[in-house]
């Protein structure tokens, strides 16, 4: 059954809660939480919202308190270690005391924040940005753009009052070569929480008038080493990496390179150095022009000289060749004219010799003819007496033969050898003058004539 | 020569001419033409070093547009 | 001879003539004609070279000025 | 004899005469006529050579001048 | 005998006479006539040779002069 | 006997006489007449030969002279 | 017997007598007459021969002389 409820005053209750909590949470605890909003008040005290998110949903939330003096201490150590002031929307490792105040309620009083954890977190964020850019293929995107031959038109993202800007402009405007740059300032925060979005915004503006510019430079200087974690901001880095013209950075610090510096087309340590880089690009354009003039002068002049020499050489050859040709023809002509005279002399000599030969032949043949005829006449003059003598001998022997015959035939000579001639009636006895028995015959001898009578007749065998 | 020729092209053309002249690949007939051209290109490029055509107001106007 | 003949062509023709003369391939009848031609070509080439040289010098002087 | 005869033709005719004389194909009756002709041809050739040489020298002298 | 007889004809006749004499085809009666003729022919040929030689020498002398 | 008889005829007659004598066709009555004739012919031939030879030698001597 | 008889006639008569005797056509009775005649003819012929030989020798001697 319901008793009559005991009624406490609010203070009683709240005090009881405070007591209970104080008893229960006497220690200090290390808590990892995201500090959503710092909520620093004019008093210097901060009342940050502490959150824990899982899959984007807030699963725990509590108010924190940092008393002014502690905040200053913590912030000092952050700047020393992290090179960044304590800032919102970061996960921090903080030492807290659970406090309950009758008027203000429950909060975690932050007595210390570990700057090394924050530093780790920053590094992680930097890594994440790099990883994401890499995944998206943007890591080298800006660096792969071709650099204009002359980075004449420069969109400068900087702060009006920046020492870096004036250093940079000093280099560009006061160069001794009269290189002329066109610069236009696009003012932005260069550090701290607003820097990333501010720079992104200016980049967007520049994009609108992109055709007026060759390069974008982001210069900062004299701002110390603090508040540069914005240059690891993914969105900013993405904007830089994917920017259609080269983005050059000259942020002026000596710590680890930020992601923005890494992915920029080129990073210079200082704005002055960045200015020098642009000047150098002009030099790179200007020097070849000077060289070209020299080169053209040297080569064109020597080409002409070369041709002149070739021409002189050729005209010398022409002359010597022509003279040689004339000389050769002259020699040929002399040789031919010598041949004419020697051949003619030979022909004349030859003809003279032939005539002499013929004269000699005529004489020789005549002499032969005379000799032959003389021999013939000689022969005949020998033949005449020889034949005549022969004839005489012949006639003489003929006569002698005849004389011999005649002598042989003389009857006297027959009778002398003992033969006799018998005649009958005065005639020699023959068949026509036959003797008969009793006929008287006369026998004549050389010395006698004998008369006889025929007694017997027989026929001669 | 047209002023419209881009200084980049001018620079490339100049480099080519210089290379040709250096190689002795240019005949005497072409030489003065080429040298003249080179001279124009050099002038054009030099002018580019020391001149500017951009106008901040114009850009601002475009930005506001 | 036309002044419009190119230096290169003139020089080539000249070389050919000189080569022919040196080879002894040109008869006496042709020789003086060829030499005359060669002379004209040489003059032409010289003139071309001189004018080219002047042009080049003029252009370079302007460049350097 | 015409001066219009070419050196080459004159020289060839001369060579032919020399060859004919050498071959003994020319009778004594023709000999002096041929020799006279040869002499004329030689004179002609000499004259041509001399005039060619003068031409050549003149032309080349002009070139050097 | 006419001086107008040609050397060639004279020489041929001479050769014929010599050949006839050599062949013994000429009688003693004709011999002296033939020899006389041969002699005349030889004289004529010699004269022609001499005059030709003089002509030739004259011409050649002019050439060499 | 006439001096106008030719050597050839004389020689032939002489040869005939010798042949006739050799053949014994000449009677003793004619013999001395024939021999006388032969003797005359021989003298004539010798004379002719001598004179001809002298002529010829004279002529040829003149030629060589 | 006349000395005017010719050697030939004498020789012929002699030959006839010899032939007649050889043929036996002459009787012994005529024989010695014929022989006598023959003997006379022989003497005549010999005399003629001798005188003719002397004549001939005389002529030939002159030739050789």
């Amino acid at each position: 059954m319901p008793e009559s409820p005991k009624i406490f005053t609010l203070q009683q209750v709240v005090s009881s809660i405070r007591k209970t909590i104080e008893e229960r949470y006497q220690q200090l605890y290390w808590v990892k939480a995201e500090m959503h909003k710092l909520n620093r008040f004019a008093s210097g005290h901060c009342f940050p919202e502490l959150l824990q998110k899982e899959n984007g949903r807030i699963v725990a939330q509590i108010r924190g308190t940092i008393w002014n003096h502690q905040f200053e201490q913590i912030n000092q150590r952050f700047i020393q270690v992290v090179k960044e002031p304590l800032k919102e929307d970061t996960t921090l490792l903080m030492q807290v005391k659970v406090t309950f105040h009758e008027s203000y309620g429950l909060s975690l009083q932050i007595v210390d924040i570990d700057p090394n954890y924050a530093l780790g977190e920053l590094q992680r964020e930097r890594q994440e940005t790099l990883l994401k850019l890499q995944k998206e293929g943007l890591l080298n995107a800006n660096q792969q753009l071709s650099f204009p031959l002359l980075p004449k038109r420069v969109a400068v993202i900087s702060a009006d009052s920046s020492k870096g800007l004036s250093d940079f402009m000093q280099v560009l405007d006061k160069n001794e070569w009269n290189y002329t740059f066109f610069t236009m300032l696009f003012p932005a925060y260069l550090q701290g929480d607003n820097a990333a979005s501010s720079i992104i915004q200016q980049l967007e503006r520049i994009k609108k008038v992109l055709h007026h510019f060759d390069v974008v430079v982001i210069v900062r200087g004299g701002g110390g080493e603090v508040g540069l974690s914005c240059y690891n901001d993914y969105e900013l880095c993405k904007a830089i990496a994917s920017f259609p013209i080269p983005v050059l950075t000259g942020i002026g610090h000596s710590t680890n390179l930020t992601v923005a510096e890494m992915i920029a087309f080129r990073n210079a340590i200082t704005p002055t150095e960045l200015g020098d880089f642009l000047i150098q690009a002009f030099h790179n354009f200007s020097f070849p022009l000077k060289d070209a003039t020299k080169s053209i002068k040297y080569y064109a002049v020597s080409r002409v000289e070369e041709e002149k020499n070739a021409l002189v050489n050729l005209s010398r050859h022409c002359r010597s060749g022509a003279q040689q040709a004339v000389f050769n023809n002259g020699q040929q002509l002399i040789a031919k004219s010598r041949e004419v005279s020697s051949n003619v002399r030979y022909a004349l000599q030859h003809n003279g010799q032939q005539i002499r030969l013929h004269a000699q032949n005529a004489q020789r043949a005549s002499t032969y003819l005379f000799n032959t005829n003389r021999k013939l006449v000689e022969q005949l003059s020998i033949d005449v007496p020889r034949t005549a003598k022969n004839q005489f001998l012949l006639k003489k022997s003929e006569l002698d033969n005849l004389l011999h015959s005649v002598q042989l035939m003389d009857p006297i000579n027959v009778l002398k050898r003992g033969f006799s001639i018998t005649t009958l009636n005065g005639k020699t006895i023959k068949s026509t003058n036959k003797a008969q028995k009793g006929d008287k015959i006369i026998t004549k001898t050389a010395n006698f004539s004998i008369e006889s009578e025929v007694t017997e007749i027989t026929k001669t065998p | 020569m047209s002023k419209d020729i881009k200084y980049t092209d001018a620079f490339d053309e100049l480099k080519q001419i210089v290379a040709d002249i250096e190689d002795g690949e240019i005949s005497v007939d072409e030489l003065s033409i080429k040298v003249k051209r080179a001279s124009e290109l050099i002038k054009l490029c030099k002018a580019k070093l020391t001149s500017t055509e951009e106008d901040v107001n114009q850009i601002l106007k475009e930005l506001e547009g």
Side-chain angles (χ1 to χ4, degrees), chain A, chain B:
Chain A
M1 106 172 213
E3 288 174 52
S4 162
K6 183 175 178 197
I7 294 172
F8 299 100
T9 65
L10 181 60
Q11 193 181 14
Q12 282 175 324
V13 173
V14 173
S15 292
S16 168
I17 293 168
R18 184 176 56 84
K19 271 187 206 157
T20 306
I21 288 172
E22 275 174 2
E23 279 167 19
R24 174 67 185 86
Y25 299 105
Q26 288 180 355
Q27 295 177 254
L28 292 174
Y29 302 97
W30 283 100
V31 177
K32 188 174 77 174
E34 190 178 312
M35 186 170 76
H36 183 51
K37 287 247 171 74
L38 187 58
N39 292 331
R40 194 167 188 205
F41 281 58
S43 60
H45 305 309
C46 306
F47 303 99
E49 285 173 22
L50 303 175
L51 300 174
Q52 181 179 352
K53 284 181 185 166
E54 267 175 22
N55 302 324
R57 210 160 52 82
I58 296 168
V59 294
Q61 184 169 17
I62 194 163
R63 190 165 56 87
T65 310
I66 310 171
W67 301 122
N68 187 33
H69 69 277
Q70 271 170 336
F71 179 81
E72 287 301 336
Q73 268 179 6
I74 289 166
N75 206 22
Q76 205 60 41
R77 280 176 54 220
F78 254 72
I79 286 166
Q80 266 177 17
V81 177
V82 192
K83 310 290 181 196
E84 281 286 328
L86 195 59
K87 64 177 189 183
E88 298 169 340
D89 285 327
T90 48
T91 301
L92 300 167
L93 182 63
M94 48 198 122
Q95 197 173 35
V96 299
K97 186 178 190 317
V98 181
T99 60
F100 192 85
H101 187 275
E102 284 85 345
S103 300
Y104 304 117
L106 189 67
S107 83
L108 298 181
Q109 184 195 336
I110 298 166
V111 295
D112 195 8
I113 299 175
D114 185 356
N116 289 312
Y117 181 84
L119 185 63
E121 280 299 295
L122 269 184
Q123 289 293 349
R124 194 180 52 75
E125 188 193 341
R126 188 174 172 272
Q127 264 329 106
E128 271 176 15
T129 300
L130 279 172
L131 212 64
K132 272 168 111 175
L133 287 174
Q134 191 178 20
K135 273 184 187 162
E136 290 165 30
L138 290 172
L139 211 51
N140 301 317
N142 197 257
Q143 290 164 358
Q144 279 164 357
L145 293 173
S146 58
F147 197 69
L149 269 181
L150 280 183
K152 272 180 77 70
R153 302 170 303 166
V154 187
V156 184
I157 297 178
S158 191
D160 242 336
S161 57
S162 162
K163 167 87 164 55
L165 177 62
S166 68
D167 287 349
F168 178 72
M169 290 310 294
Q170 175 86 8
V171 174
L172 297 197
D173 291 343
K174 302 281 192 268
N175 76 80
E176 56 183 297
W177 305 278
N178 289 325
Y179 297 153
T180 307
F181 294 86
F182 167 77
T183 55
M184 185 166 166
L185 179 66
F186 290 83
Y189 297 115
L190 294 172
Q191 63 195 65
D193 293 341
N194 295 323
S197 58
S198 162
I199 291 169
I200 288 168
Q201 192 193 348
Q202 291 305 340
L203 284 173
E204 287 306 317
R205 286 184 75 218
I206 292 167
K207 253 187 198 170
K208 281 190 190 169
V209 289
L210 197 64
H211 59 280
H212 292 290
F213 296 102
D214 299 312
V215 290
V216 177
V217 297
I218 301 173
V219 287
R220 190 207 75 121
E225 302 284 322
V226 177
L228 298 177
S229 70
C230 60
Y231 293 105
N232 290 325
D233 179 81
Y234 168 72
E235 292 301 332
L236 174 58
C237 289
K238 184 179 172 184
I240 290 171
S242 62
F243 206 72
I245 59 174
V247 178
L248 299 96
T249 52
I251 296 167
H253 69 110
S254 55
T255 50
N256 284 348
L257 280 184
T258 62
V259 174
E261 288 167 308
M262 285 168 72
I263 52 90
F265 184 88
R266 184 179 172 98
N267 176 52
I269 292 168
T270 62
T272 304
E273 192 196 300
L274 189 59
D276 286 340
F277 173 74
L278 296 182
I279 292 286
Q280 187 57 47
F282 269 60
H283 283 336
N284 290 346
F285 186 82
S286 171
F287 291 165
L289 295 182
K290 283 181 188 150
D291 288 349
T293 308
K294 277 186 204 153
S295 200
I296 287 166
K297 182 172 185 173
Y298 176 76
Y299 286 102
V301 168
S302 58
R303 180 92 181 82
V304 170
E305 276 310 307
E306 193 181 288
E307 285 297 329
K308 270 186 182 169
N309 287 339
L311 200 59
V312 168
N313 202 23
L314 212 52
S315 60
R316 276 197 197 123
H317 275 273
C318 183
R319 181 186 194 149
S320 68
Q323 281 170 340
Q324 189 62 44
V326 169
F327 179 75
N328 287 346
N329 276 289
Q331 290 297 105
Q332 277 187 316
L333 197 60
I334 288 168
K336 278 294 158 211
S337 64
R338 281 194 189 132
E339 276 185 75
V340 169
S341 60
S342 74
N343 287 352
V344 166
R345 293 218 165 93
Y346 176 78
L348 287 174
Q349 228 170 30
H350 181 67
N351 276 291
Q353 277 172 354
Q354 275 190 317
I355 289 169
R356 230 166 288 144
L357 196 66
H358 285 308
Q360 282 169 2
N361 285 347
Q363 189 165 34
R364 190 171 43 71
S366 308
T367 305
Y368 178 75
L369 192 67
F370 289 129
N371 287 341
T372 309
N373 275 289
R374 209 169 260 126
K375 274 184 197 151
L376 288 173
V377 172
E378 272 319 306
Q379 187 59 50
L380 287 176
S381 66
I382 290 163
D383 285 345
V384 171
R386 183 179 51 76
T387 52
K389 274 177 189 145
N390 281 347
Q391 284 305 310
F392 286 120
L393 287 174
L394 203 65
K395 298 292 177 199
K396 269 183 194 157
S397 78
E398 267 179 349
L399 278 179
D400 286 346
N401 285 341
L402 285 173
L403 183 61
H404 189 62
S405 299
V406 169
Q407 281 172 348
L408 280 179
M409 281 180 274
D410 191 339
I412 299 293
N413 290 333
V414 175
L415 296 178
K416 275 180 185 164
R417 273 176 282 167
F419 292 96
S420 61
I421 301 164
T422 305
T423 59
L424 175 66
N425 300 324
K427 288 186 178 172
T428 53
I429 298 165
K430 299 173 193 173
S431 55
T432 54
N433 192 24
K434 283 176 189 171
Q436 305 291 325
K437 271 185 187 173
D439 283 352
K440 290 223 182 131
I441 56 173
I442 295 164
T443 302
K444 214 176 175 182
T445 70
N447 299 319
F448 307 101
S449 184
I450 304 158
E451 198 172 290
S452 324
E453 200 179 283
V454 176
T455 61
E456 198 177 338
I457 299 169
T458 55
K459 268 206 163 176
T460 315
Chain B
M1 195 189 341
S2 166
K3 273 261 171 185
D4 291 344
I5 190 173
K6 286 209 276 176
Y7 75 92
T8 314
D9 296 338
F11 192 74
D12 287 345
E13 191 183 341
L14 176 62
K15 276 201 292 183
Q16 188 54 49
I17 290 172
V18 171
D20 289 346
I21 292 174
E22 280 180 358
D23 290 348
E25 278 177 15
I26 289 180
S27 70
V28 172
D29 300 301
E30 292 170 300
L31 198 59
S32 51
I33 295 161
K34 288 286 186 184
V35 169
K36 197 162 197 172
R37 175 75 180 155
S39 160
E40 284 168 353
L41 292 168
I42 289 169
K43 280 181 193 161
L44 185 106
C45 289
K46 276 194 173 170
K48 196 75 187 174
L49 282 170
T50 55
S51 73
T52 183
E53 296 134 31
E54 297 296 342
D55 177 10
V56 175
N57 291 330
Q58 177 60 32
I59 296 168
L60 287 174
K61 214 166 152 190
E62 281 177 35
L63 273 178
E64 283 162 15

